[in-house]
């Protein structure tokens, strides 16, 4: 803070601090507190507001625990979010390693540009593009049949397949960047020292590169998992008849049932359980929150 | 079986840039060999060629007679100590030291015992469980040496390992390294740009410039009989006089210059009629009275006297305005001439040389 004042002067520093505070409180904390309060209130017709029925209650939360379908969708969401996180990690780690340590810096820059350009298009359009790509008569099936890999179209949009593909595509960069940063920060001599001492490539990754990049990996995983579990657009655009995402249920409560109270309760349950899940996994992998924030 | 390292006409090109040019040398088993040269001359590149991080674009690296082409560093009998040591910060000292054994599947208790043993060897007791970040510079150095020794390499490669240490520690570690080398009998290939280090530690020194190995010889030979201008001026101080070779009799040439004619040993690759330079070390020059003018002497005036403790550097200027340095022992009984006196600078024909220019490895490629 003193550094900030020294560099920008007191006036500009106050403006910057005020803007950060505004962002944090007006746009994050206060709306969430309002929703949090909502989640303990009863959904009532307007004329009963303030009446004897307008009380604080846990009923909204109990709705979830007494509804097996919702519980099922919830755990399915967690499961497939974890799966997407895992797939992203599998794809990203080798890619990040190659980008950080194998390619020349100029090639890396080009590669990142190519990766980033699709982000200029909105998420809805990108999801819809995948809907077209994956459709029965779509380009993917045409390509696979064209090169003779399959002889009749695959129904990509069934079960959770299409949702998983869409989510991997949507959030993979959130995994790539932290891991890329972590591996870039690793001194190349350490990798070479490991090899020089006799380690195989696998061993070098296991003992040197992965331990070093663990904070980056954890950070990427948390981010992708949270984004997946909270994603609305991708699971609804690429939904098949048999896929349901927990956010869709929240959305139904709020915008179809118009019951913001149960909707908020569900949203907070999702948040709370995701935090619990993430903390458990972090405890298991022995990474701390401060490492991730770096 | 001998484990000589033979660099057979190796070349290394990075695109059109030739970093190492036709280096040919055999480093004997058990030898302490140094590559000495200025920054960018290709020292690290040579080390990386020997350790296997890259293969030469021409020639071959042979260890124990076997061509190492295509053999990765993890399968070569070499261990490299990196310029920045490259210790693993997330492992405690003992795991660092025995990493090479761990990857070979050695059991934990055996490794632990080996780590203790090596820590004794490098004089670092009670540090097995410390973190790398808790060690001082010199201690890290020792851990790096122990880690390399743990895999029992035939050849140890050291890339300026002392350059980050302060003077005192550097001198101490020089002796230490030399002692460890003698104790273990491992071939050491040492890289440095510090001539003092190379001369003091090595059995033989290879002096490099611009990718070319200019001279390979014992430290004495390098200092007393450099083969060309580069070696002479990179190792030690010189007084240089330009001129032309007039005639040669019995290895001693008559050298004609603007300051007179001198007798000097004729270096390699210089012939009668060549325009060349004469090199003489400051400590081989003496200052005498103007009257006893003899062979190889120049009338000079003393312009500056620098007292260095055990010796005195006397700077003198000759008739054509060139400055020379004469180094004399500090001896109160025979003090050097006083400032601004005129006298004669003289040197023995057998202690000065006429040398050719260095072989340039990068032009004409
Ligand atoms: N991978 C590479 N690609 C291109 N040029 C390189 C590469 N490695 C080294 N060079 C060039 O080769 C030359 C020799 O490099 P090298 O690292 O061997 O020098 P050095 O003698 O070890 O110098 P220093 O004392 O500064 O460490 C340098 O000019 C360097 O720019
Ligand atoms: Mg170097």
């Amino acid at each position: 803070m003193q550094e900030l004042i020294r560099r920008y002067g007191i006036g500009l520093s106050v403006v910057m601090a005020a803007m950060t505070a505004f962002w944090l409180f007006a746009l994050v904390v206060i709306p969430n507190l309002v929703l949090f309060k909502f989640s303990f209130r009863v959904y009532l017709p307007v004329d009963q507001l303030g009446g004897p029925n307008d009380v604080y209650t846990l009923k909204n939360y109990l709705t979830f625990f007494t509804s097996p379908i919702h519980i099922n969708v919830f755990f399915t969401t967690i499961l497939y979010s974890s799966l997407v996180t895992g797939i992203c990690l599998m794809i990203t780690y080798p890619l990040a390693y190659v980008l950080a340590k194998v390619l020349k810096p100029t090639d890396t820059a080009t590669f990142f540009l190519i990766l980033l350009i699709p982000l200029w298009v909105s998420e809805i359009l990108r999801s819809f593009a995948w809907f077209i790509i994956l459709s029965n008569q779509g380009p993917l099936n045409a390509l696979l049949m064209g090169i003779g890999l399959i002889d009749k179209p695959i129904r990509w949009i069934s079960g959770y397949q299409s949702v998983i593909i869409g989510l991997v595509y949507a959030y993979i960069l959130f995994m790539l960047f932290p891991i890329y940063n972590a591996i870039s920060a690793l001194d190349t001599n350490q990798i070479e020292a490991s090899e020089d001492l006799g380690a195989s490539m696998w061993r070098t990754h296991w003992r040197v590169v992965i331990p070093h990049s663990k904070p980056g990996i954890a950070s990427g995983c948390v981010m992708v998992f949270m984004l997946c579990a909270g994603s609305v657009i991708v699971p609804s655009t690429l939904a098949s008849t048999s896929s349901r995402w927990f956010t869709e249920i929240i959305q139904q409560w709020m915008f179809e049932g118009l019951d913001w109270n149960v909707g908020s309760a569900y949203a907070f349950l999702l948040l709370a359980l995701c935090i619990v899940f993430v903390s458990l996994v972090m405890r298991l992998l022995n990474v701390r929150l401060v490492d991730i924030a770096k | 079986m001998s484990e000589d390292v033979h660099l057979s006409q190796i070349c290394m090109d990075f695109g059109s840039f030739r970093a190492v040019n036709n280096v040919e040398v055999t480093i004997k088993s058990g030898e302490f060999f140094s590559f000495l040269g200025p920054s960018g001359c290709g020292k690290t590149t040579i080390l990386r060629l020997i350790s296997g991080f890259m293969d030469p674009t021409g020639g071959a690296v042979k260890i124990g007679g076997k061509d190492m082409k295509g053999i990765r560093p993890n399968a070569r009998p070499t261990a490299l100590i990196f310029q920045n040591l490259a210790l693993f910060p997330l492992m405690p000292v003992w795991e660092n030291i025995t990493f090479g054994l761990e990857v070979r599947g050695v059991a934990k208790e055996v490794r632990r015992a080996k780590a203790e043993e090596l820590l004794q060897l490098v004089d670092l007791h009670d540090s097995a469980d410390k973190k790398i970040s808790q060690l001082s510079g010199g201690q890290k150095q020792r851990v790096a040496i122990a880690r390399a020794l743990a895999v029992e390499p035939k050849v140890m490669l050291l890339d300026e390992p002392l350059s980050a240490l302060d003077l005192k520690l550097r001198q101490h570690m020089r002796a230490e390294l030399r002692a460890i080398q003698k104790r273990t009998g491992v071939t050491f290939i040492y890289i440095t740009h510090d001539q003092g280090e190379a001369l003091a530690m090595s059995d033989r020194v290879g002096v490099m410039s611009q990718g070319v190995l200019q001279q390979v010889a014992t430290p004495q030979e390098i200092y007393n009989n450099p083969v060309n201008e580069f070696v002479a001026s990179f190792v030690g101080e010189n007084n240089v006089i330009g001129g032309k070779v007039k005639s040669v009799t019995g290895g001693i040439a008559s050298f004609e210059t603007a300051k007179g004619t001198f007798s000097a040993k004729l270096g390699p690759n210089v012939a009668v009629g060549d325009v060349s330079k004469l090199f003489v070390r400051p400590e081989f020059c003496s200052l005498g009275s103007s009257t006893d003018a003899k062979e190889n002497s120049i009338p000079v005036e003393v312009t500056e006297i620098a007292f260095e403790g055990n010796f005195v550097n006397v700077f003198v200027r000759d008739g054509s305005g060139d400055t020379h340095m004469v180094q004399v022992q500090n001896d109160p009984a025979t003090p050097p001439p006083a400032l601004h006196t005129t006298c004669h600078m003289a040197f023995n024909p057998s202690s000065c040389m006429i040398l050719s220019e260095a072989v340039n490895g990068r032009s004409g490629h």
Side-chain angles (χ1 to χ4, degrees):
Chain A
M1 194 68 204
Q2 267 156 11
E3 170 65 19
L4 198 70
I5 293 173
R6 196 185 55 74
R7 191 181 287 184
Y8 296 106
I10 185 84
L12 208 52
S13 299
V14 168
V15 172
M16 277 156 68
M19 277 177 4
T20 314
F22 177 78
W23 179 77
L24 193 63
F25 285 100
L27 303 179
V28 181
V29 176
I30 294 172
N32 272 289
L33 283 178
V34 171
L35 281 183
F36 193 61
K37 186 182 154 208
F38 270 17
S39 71
F40 292 102
R41 301 301 285 261
V42 193
Y43 179 44
L44 293 170
V46 183
D47 58 355
Q48 289 190 29
L49 284 180
N53 290 333
D54 196 2
V55 289
Y56 284 94
T57 167
L58 285 174
K59 198 177 110 268
N60 299 330
Y61 287 89
L62 288 175
T63 314
F64 172 76
F65 292 104
T66 50
S67 140
I69 293 175
H70 290 174
I71 293 176
N72 188 331
V73 172
F74 179 82
F75 283 106
T76 313
T77 301
I78 297 279
L79 177 74
Y80 285 118
S81 296
S82 310
L83 184 67
V84 169
T85 308
I87 294 173
C88 283
L89 179 59
M90 292 302 143
I91 298 174
T92 304
Y93 178 82
L95 188 63
Y97 181 79
V98 169
L99 284 172
K101 291 295 169 198
V102 181
L103 287 189
K104 287 201 235 69
T106 46
D107 296 343
T108 308
T110 318
F111 197 92
F112 273 132
L113 193 66
I114 294 170
L115 284 178
L116 282 173
I117 287 174
L119 285 191
W120 298 349
V121 178
S122 85
E123 194 176 322
I124 297 191
L125 279 179
R126 281 182 289 136
S127 301
F128 201 70
W130 271 105
F131 186 78
I132 295 168
I133 293 170
L134 296 177
S135 62
N136 261 0
Q137 310 298 322
L140 183 61
N141 278 330
L143 179 76
L144 290 178
M145 289 201 294
I147 59 174
L149 226 56
I150 52 175
D151 45 28
K152 62 177 195 305
I154 295 177
R155 277 189 66 84
W156 292 104
I157 303 179
S158 73
Y160 280 86
Q161 255 163 218
S162 46
V163 176
I164 290 170
I165 294 173
L167 286 173
V168 167
Y169 172 75
Y171 300 126
I172 196 159
L173 291 185
F174 291 91
M175 185 73 92
L176 183 67
F177 285 111
I179 300 183
Y180 169 80
N181 281 336
I183 298 181
S184 297
L186 175 65
D187 177 10
T188 308
N189 283 352
Q190 300 230 342
I191 300 170
E192 294 185 339
S194 167
E195 189 182 0
D196 189 56
L197 289 167
S200 63
M201 191 182 78
W202 299 115
R203 182 71 79 137
T204 299
H205 278 282
W206 183 243
R207 284 291 271 148
V208 178
V209 187
I210 293 177
H212 176 90
S213 44
K214 209 158 78 174
I217 292 174
S219 162
C221 286
V222 169
M223 207 127 67
V224 170
F225 177 81
M226 290 296 214
L227 285 169
C228 281
S231 178
V232 180
I233 291 167
V234 178
S236 48
T237 316
L238 288 169
S240 73
T241 46
S242 57
S243 73
R244 288 194 80 193
W245 211 248
F246 195 67
T247 48
E248 293 179 285
I249 295 175
I250 298 176
Q251 217 180 16
Q252 276 167 15
W253 278 116
M254 288 191 161
F255 299 111
E256 286 166 33
L258 289 177
D259 187 340
W260 279 59
N261 305 87
V262 178
S264 315
Y266 272 44
F268 278 101
L269 274 174
L270 180 65
L271 180 65
L273 286 170
C274 281
I275 289 173
V276 169
F277 182 77
V278 167
S279 331
L280 273 179
V281 173
M282 273 167 56
R283 170 66 61 83
L284 221 63
L285 294 177
N286 198 14
V287 272
R288 290 164 307 150
L289 203 60
V290 277
D291 294 332
I292 290 183
K294 266 188 226 155
Chain B
M1 197 184 93
S2 108
E3 293 288 345
D4 290 357
V5 177
H6 181 194
L7 307 183
S8 169
Q9 299 290 330
I10 55 170
C11 294
M12 188 68 213
D13 294 328
F14 296 112
S16 65
F17 179 80
R18 176 156 281 193
V20 173
N21 192 356
N22 262 318
V23 167
E24 167 77 40
V25 61
T26 302
I27 297 154
K28 292 194 279 293
S29 183
E31 187 174 25
F32 196 121
F33 188 96
S34 296
F35 282 103
L36 172 66
S39 185
C41 72
K43 303 182 298 289
T44 299
T45 306
I46 287 201
L47 222 54
R48 293 174 67 80
L49 289 170
I50 301 175
S51 57
F53 288 110
M54 42 197 191
D55 275 324
T57 45
V61 174
K62 295 177 184 165
I63 301 179
K66 188 165 174 250
D67 191 345
M68 288 283 129
K69 191 171 172 57
I71 299 179
R72 294 296 305 167
N74 53 12
R76 294 195 183 194
T78 58
L80 175 61
I81 295 184
F82 288 80
Q83 204 155 355
N84 66 355
L85 304 182
L87 295 172
F88 305 125
L90 300 178
M91 300 178 201
V93 167
W94 80 271
E95 282 187 23
N96 258 281
I97 292 179
T98 55
F99 184 79
L101 304 176
E102 180 190 321
V103 303
R104 287 167 176 76
V106 176
K108 189 172 172 185
E109 309 80 64
V110 182
R111 282 191 276 132
R112 178 78 201 200
K114 183 75 184 173
E116 302 284 356
E117 182 192 322
L118 283 162
L119 282 169
Q120 296 282 335
L121 180 78
V122 296
D123 220 8
L124 252 192
H125 314 272
D126 311 323
S127 300
D129 293 306
K130 281 193 183 157
K131 284 187 194 159
I132 295 301
S133 57
Q134 293 171 327
L135 301 179
S136 73
Q139 290 172 330
K140 284 184 191 151
Q141 203 77 57
R142 289 156 205 255
V143 173
I145 293 165
R147 184 177 73 173
L149 285 173
V151 298
E152 297 181 357
K154 301 285 192 313
V155 182
M156 187 94 125
L157 307 166
L158 303 98
D159 191 354
E160 310 203 26
L162 305 186
S163 56
L165 304 182
D166 61 55
L167 184 68
K168 202 74 193 209
L169 192 56
R170 198 153 67 218
Q171 282 168 347
H172 178 72
M173 287 306 294
R174 266 188 209 176
E176 197 98 326
L177 269 179
R178 182 71 208 188
I180 291 173
Q181 193 261 338
K182 284 276 161 278
R183 228 176 300 160
T184 54
V186 173
T187 311
F188 270 46
I189 301 180
Y190 191 92
I191 276 190
T192 179
H193 60 252
D194 180 335
Q195 43 146 325
E197 213 165 273
L199 297 182
M201 297 168 82
S202 324
D203 295 321
R204 281 194 305 158
V205 179
V207 182
M208 286 191 69
S209 158
Q210 304 200 343
V212 173
L213 195 51
Q214 305 285 348
Q215 184 173 11
V216 179
T218 60
Q220 294 85 340
E221 187 68 12
I222 295 274
Y223 190 85
N224 293 333
N225 290 311
V227 293
N228 58 36
E229 287 180 13
F230 175 81
V231 178
S233 48
F234 191 73
V235 184
E237 301 284 336
N238 296 279
N239 295 312
V240 183
I241 303 166
K244 190 174 171 184
V245 183
K246 258 184 78 183
S247 63
V248 189
T249 34
I252 301 290
S254 169
F255 193 64
E256 200 175 60
T257 77
K259 306 177 204 305
T261 302
F262 301 101
S263 299
K265 284 193 290 181
L266 194 67
N269 301 322
V270 202
V272 174
D274 285 0
V275 174
S276 193
K277 286 177 188 151
L278 182 149
F279 287 79
V280 56
R281 303 280 186 204
E283 69 272 24
F284 295 155
C285 295
S286 62
L287 292 170
S289 80
S290 313
T291 49
D292 53 30
K294 42 185 176 182
E295 195 183 22
N296 285 1
S297 83
I298 311 171
V300 291
E301 183 196 345
V302 177
T303 54
E304 197 187 327
I305 297 178
F307 181 70
E308 302 276 351
N310 53 343
F311 56 84
V312 184
N313 286 333
V314 184
F315 294 89
V316 297
R317 192 168 50 218
D318 63 24
S320 39
D322 294 331
T323 298
H324 307 283
M325 185 168 96
V326 179
Q327 197 172 76
V328 295
Q329 283 297 316
N330 173 32
D331 180 3
T334 54
L339 210 55
H340 303 309
T341 49
T342 50
C343 53
H344 274 73
M345 179 178 96
F347 45 89
N348 202 309
S350 62
S351 52
C352 57
M353 292 191 87
I354 301 163
L355 296 172
S356 61
E357 281 182 12
V359 189
N360 189 330
R362 290 186 182 146
S363 66
H365 170 61

